Amino acid sequence: MLQKTSPYMRQANLIDGQWVQADSGATIDVINPATGLKLGIVPKSGRAETRRAIEAADAAFQTWKKTSVLERHKLLRKLHDAIMDNQQTLAELLTMEQGKSLTEAKGEIAISAAYVLWFAEEGRRAYGDVVPSPWADRRILVTKEPTGVVAAITPWNFPSSMLSRKIGPALAAGCTVVVKPASQTPYSGLAWGALAEEAGFPKGVVNVVTGAAGEIGDELCTNPLVKKITFTGSTEVGKVLIQKSASTVKKVSMELGGNAPFLVFDDADIDRAVEGAMVAKYRNSGQTCVCTNRFFVQAGIYDEFVAKLAEASQKLKIGSGLDDGTQQGPLIDEKAVEKVEELVEDARAKGGKVVTGGKRHALGGSFYEPTVIADATTTMRFMKEEIFGPVAPVFKFTTEEEAVKLANDTEYGLACYFYTADLGRAFRVMEGLKYGMVGVNEGLITTVEAPFGGVKESGLGREGGHQGIEDYLDTKYVCIGGLGA
Ligand code: NAP
C-alpha cells in the first residue's frame, strides 16, 4: 500500500518517549491527495492516550523547566540541524501527505528549521526587568518563567511550519508540549517527535498524539495540567477551543482564518502587482490562511490587470507535487474541490465572468484549474467566505476610500496586500486597513523575524518575531523588602 516510505514516517503516537498505538488499536488512513491512494495509517487515539501524554509532559516539565537557557539553546540548534540535514526526505513526506509541490515543501521545511533557530536565540533574550522602586527599602524585579505544559493543535495546510512556530518557542521558553497534528497530514507532525528524539530532547518533553479531534481537544482543553492551548486552524474550531479552555482559564493563542484583500491602485506597477498576486493567490494551491481571497483593482487598470493575471494563471504547471517543475498540486480532498465548485457556480450565477479556469483540471482527482473571475460583486459568497482554493475573484473600485472600506468589510483581519507607487497613499491605506499583517508592494511577507497573526476573528497572539516567545512565558513580579533605607 505504501507508495514511498520515509524514515520519518512514524505510524504511532509518541508518548513519554515511547512510540505506541491507540489503546483500542483503531487507526486512521492517510491518503496521498495527488493519487487518492492510501499512504499509511496512524493511531486513532482519544482521551486516555491524550491524558497520558499530558501527564508525561507535566512530569518532564518538572526537570525541563530547570535546564539552563544555554542547554535548551544547544538542543534546539541540534533540532534545527536535524531538520535541515533531512530537508529533502521531510519535504517528500510533506508533499506525499499534503500535495504541495516539492519546491514549496522544501521551503516549508526550511522555514520550520529557521523558526527553531530563531526561537533558540530568542530564548536567550527573554529578559525580565529591574523596575525603579517607589520605596527606599524595597526592590522590584520582574522575571519570566515557562508557562508549563503546552497543547498545540495544527492544520493540514502547513503541517510542519505551523508546528515549528509553537514547538520552537515552547521548548526555548522551558515548556513541554503535547501536539495534535491534523488527521489528513499527521506524518509531518509525528516527524517532529522523531526529530526531537534525534536531537536529544529528554523523553516526555515532546509528545505527539493523533486521532479523534473532538476527544483529544476536549482533554487538552479541560485537563488542569495543560497551561496553554496554541491552535492554528479554522475560526469555527478556534471559538470552540476558547470556550472549552475557559473552564480552567488557560492561556490561548489562536491563529485562525483569513479573508485577505489585495488592492491594486491605478498608480501601481502592474507587472509587479501581478507577480505578487500569483504568489499571494496560488501558493499551496490557494490553501493558505494568508492567500488572497479578494482582489480589488482600480477602474483605470482593471482590464489590464485581469488580462495579465489570467495569462500568468494559465501558465502555471499543474501536477503531482513530486513531479519536476510542478507549481500547483491538488487540493487536499474532494470536499475542498466541491467547496471551490460551489463558490465558482455562485459567482457565475450572480454575473461573474470566468476569464480562465472555472472547472476541475483534466488530471482528475482533486486537481482544480487556476481560475480568474472578473466582475466580482459583494453579493458573491467569496466576499465573506474563505475560498481555500486556486480561484481569484477580481472586484472593481473607483476611490481609495471605497477600496479600504471594501477590504475591511469582513470579520477576519489576518493578512492584506496593496500596490501603489504613491507614498502618501501607502501610509493612508496601511493605517486604514484593519489587519494584523500588511504587504505593501509585496505578496509574500512571512518571515521568522516578524510577528505573524491576526486581529478580529482571525485570532489572538503572535507567532514569530520577538513577540512569539512571550505567550510561552509567565511574568512574575517580585518585591524584595526590608533592605534598609
Ligand atoms: P480545522 O478544521 O479547524 O482543523 C485544524 C485542527 O483542529 C486539526 O488538527 C483538526 O483535527 C483539529 N480539530 C478539529 N475539530 C476539533 C475540535 N473540536 N477540537 C480540537 N481540535 C479540533 O482547520 P483546517 O481545515 O485543518 O485548516 C484550515 C483553516 O486553518 C483555515 O481556516 C485557515 O485559514 C486556517 N489557518 C490559519 C493560519 C493562521 O496562522 N492564522 C494558518 C494556517 C491555517 P482533525 O484534522 O483531526 O480534524
Side-chain angles (χ1 to χ4, degrees):
M1 201 66 83
L2 297 182
Q3 293 155 317
K4 194 161 182 176
T5 50
S6 156
Y8 290 102
M9 190 175 138
R10 300 300 175 99
Q11 305 194 67
N13 294 319
L14 178 62
I15 300 176
D16 202 16
Q18 304 293 317
W19 291 94
V20 292
Q21 294 304 320
D23 293 355
S24 66
T27 56
I28 297 174
D29 289 348
V30 183
I31 307 296
N32 179 340
T35 62
L37 298 175
K38 182 167 152 185
L39 196 57
I41 51 162
V42 289
K44 188 174 181 189
S45 324
R47 284 196 91 125
E49 299 87 334
T50 310
R51 194 172 307 132
R52 287 202 293 278
I54 293 168
E55 283 161 3
D58 185 58
F61 178 63
Q62 305 314 321
T63 40
W64 180 245
K65 68 181 175 187
K66 294 184 188 148
T67 52
S68 79
V69 79
L70 194 58
E71 200 177 322
R72 298 201 292 270
H73 173 90
K74 282 181 186 158
L75 281 173
L76 284 162
R77 286 195 73 102
K78 283 191 186 162
L79 180 59
H80 164 273
D81 293 348
I83 296 169
M84 287 314 286
D85 289 349
N86 296 288
Q87 184 186 14
Q88 180 73 21
T89 313
L90 293 166
E92 284 175 7
L93 183 62
L94 203 167
T95 292
M96 283 191 289
E97 66 176 348
Q98 203 278 336
K100 67 180 64 177
S101 72
L102 194 56
T103 310
E104 283 192 29
K106 282 168 83 170
E108 183 176 340
I109 298 300
I111 200 167
S112 290
Y115 273 114
V116 169
L117 192 55
W118 172 259
F119 284 112
E121 293 161 352
E122 283 303 292
R124 302 180 77 187
R125 292 190 279 272
Y127 302 116
D129 293 304
V130 179
V131 180
S133 170
W135 305 287
D137 65 340
R138 302 188 214 171
R139 296 292 180 271
I140 295 175
L141 305 184
V142 179
T143 62
K144 303 271 179 73
E145 295 181 351
T147 292
V149 175
V150 171
I153 305 178
T154 47
W156 50 263
N157 61 347
F158 288 91
S160 178
S161 63
M162 293 302 104
L163 267 177
S164 67
R165 310 199 302 203
K166 304 180 187 307
I167 292 179
L171 300 184
C175 299
T176 55
V177 295
V178 178
V179 167
K180 186 248 170 270
S183 297
Q184 286 171 301
T185 56
Y187 295 129
S188 298
L190 288 161
W192 277 96
L195 290 158
E197 276 188 328
E198 199 174 312
F201 284 86
K203 74 178 178 126
V205 170
V206 176
N207 304 274
V208 190
V209 180
T210 60
E215 276 192 45
I216 297 174
D218 281 358
E219 186 62 30
L220 293 174
C221 287
T222 56
N223 191 314
L225 295 177
V226 175
K227 301 300 178 205
K228 176 181 169 63
I229 301 273
T230 170
F231 172 73
T232 300
S234 61
T235 296
E236 190 189 351
V237 173
K239 287 179 181 175
V240 171
L241 299 179
I242 293 171
Q243 277 172 351
K244 286 189 177 158
S245 50
S247 64
T248 46
V249 194
K250 299 190 194 312
K251 287 175 109 171
V252 289
S253 298
M254 295 282 146
E255 293 289 349
L256 308 176
N259 181 357
F262 188 111
L263 281 49
V264 191
F265 291 92
D266 280 347
D267 56 44
D269 175 337
I270 299 181
D271 292 331
R272 186 178 173 85
V274 170
E275 207 179 298
M278 291 301 289
V279 64
K281 177 67 252 182
Y282 295 115
R283 196 159 64 101
N284 200 10
S285 307
Q287 304 171 111
T288 88
C289 52
V290 292
C291 268
T292 299
N293 213 56
R294 301 165 295 153
F295 286 94
F296 296 104
V297 180
Q298 204 159 9
I301 52 156
Y302 185 86
D303 292 341
E304 186 182 350
F305 180 85
V306 169
K308 286 186 165 168
L309 182 63
E311 193 189 335
S313 303
Q314 282 158 6
K315 287 189 187 144
L316 283 177
K317 188 166 178 242
I318 317 300
S320 160
L322 290 179
D323 292 346
D324 275 350
T326 290
Q327 290 169 296
Q328 186 183 290
L331 299 193
I332 188 73
D333 58 18
E334 173 61 23
K335 224 171 92 199
V337 184
E338 285 168 10
K339 165 97 189 277
V340 165
E341 282 184 322
E342 268 180 35
L343 294 181
V344 171
E345 282 324 304
D346 169 75
R348 265 202 186 104
K350 291 172 181 163
K353 185 175 152 217
V354 177
V355 185
T356 188
K359 58 182 190 303
R360 287 174 187 254
H361 193 274
L363 285 169
S366 59
F367 289 92
Y368 197 88
E369 289 185 353
T371 297
V372 176
I373 299 181
D375 301 336
T377 65
T378 54
T379 59
M380 293 174 186
R381 279 177 56 188
F382 39 53
M383 181 66 195
K384 299 277 177 209
E385 292 178 42
E386 264 189 305
I387 301 171
F388 247 59
V391 178
V394 194
F395 301 71
K396 193 184 285 181
F397 71 87
T398 313
T399 67
E400 186 183 307
E401 293 72 24
E402 182 194 357
V404 172
K405 196 163 172 238
L406 282 165
N408 285 338
D409 185 14
T410 165
E411 69 267 28
Y412 294 110
L414 192 58
C416 62
Y417 312 90
F418 68 91
Y419 281 69
T420 180
D422 178 326
L423 189 60
R425 170 173 278 160
F427 274 88
R428 282 193 306 276
V429 174
M430 180 267 285
E431 287 162 8
L433 289 168
K434 190 75 185 140
Y435 285 82
M437 297 175 281
V438 188
V440 186
N441 297 324
E442 287 295 342
L444 179 61
I445 59 173
T446 307
T447 180
V448 302
E449 292 82 0
F452 187 105
V455 296
K456 294 160 76 178
E457 293 197 12
S458 287
L460 302 163
R462 292 292 180 271
E463 296 190 322
H466 71 82
Q467 295 87 347
I469 198 167
E470 287 298 325
D471 269 352
Y472 299 85
L473 293 164
D474 290 340
T475 297
K476 182 177 273 178
Y477 156 46
V478 185
C479 180
I480 308 166
L483 299 177

